[in-house]
Amino acid sequence: QVQLVESGGGLVQPGGSLRLSCAASGITFSIYTMSWYRQAPGKERELVASITSGGTTNYADSLNTRFSISRDNAKNTVYLQMNSLKPEDTAVYYCNGARLRSIWGQGTQVTVSS
């Protein structure tokens, strides 16, 4: 069964950190480009960061100084390390896998609030 399962979301205070994980199953994970997207209430889903099968990373403007994407092919998992979180980072964060098809996880809620 093809599946992406996100975890690690939650409530964090401004300035705090979270690490999201996305575990893949049913796919040859190492050949997929993996990405994190987010969708805030009332807004369109937007790309946060991506990492290719070769390890090349790409970030949305202004996020690369606070966010870091990485992958562990041995564990079929992609991570998003988020530091110095701001209230505007509040959103549902989705994992995406892309090769010849696009696969989405169910999302994990990140809320940044004091």
Side-chain angles (χ1 to χ4, degrees), residues 2-85:
V2 176
Q3 198 172 12
L4 298 178
V5 179
E6 301 99 332
S7 61
L11 174 64
V12 63
Q13 291 187 344
S17 297
L18 281 176
R19 189 176 81 154
L20 306 183
S21 300
C22 170
S25 58
I27 61 172
T28 306
F29 177 80
S30 62
I31 66 174
Y32 274 68
T33 291
M34 301 301 297
S35 302
W36 287 97
Y37 287 75
R38 68 184 182 184
Q39 188 166 19
K43 295 187 177 182
E44 293 186 353
R45 192 172 297 189
E46 62 177 359
L47 176 67
V48 174
S50 64
I51 183 166
T52 68
S53 58
T56 300
T57 57
N58 179 58
Y59 296 89
D61 289 344
S62 80
L63 292 181
N64 64 327
T65 58
R66 299 189 294 121
F67 291 9
S68 178
I69 189 171
S70 61
R71 66 191 299 160
D72 186 337
N73 289 338
K75 295 182 178 180
N76 287 357
T77 300
V78 61
Y79 305 97
L80 184 68
Q81 178 68 42
M82 305 186 294
N83 300 323
S84 303
L85 283 162

Side-chain angles (χ1 to χ4, degrees), residues 88-108:
E88 52 262 44
D89 295 318
T90 295
V92 179
Y93 284 71
Y94 296 91
C95 178
N96 173 267
R99 174 69 177 169
L100 298 179
R101 56 179 172 173
S102 185
I103 306 165
W104 291 93
Q106 82 288 349
T108 185

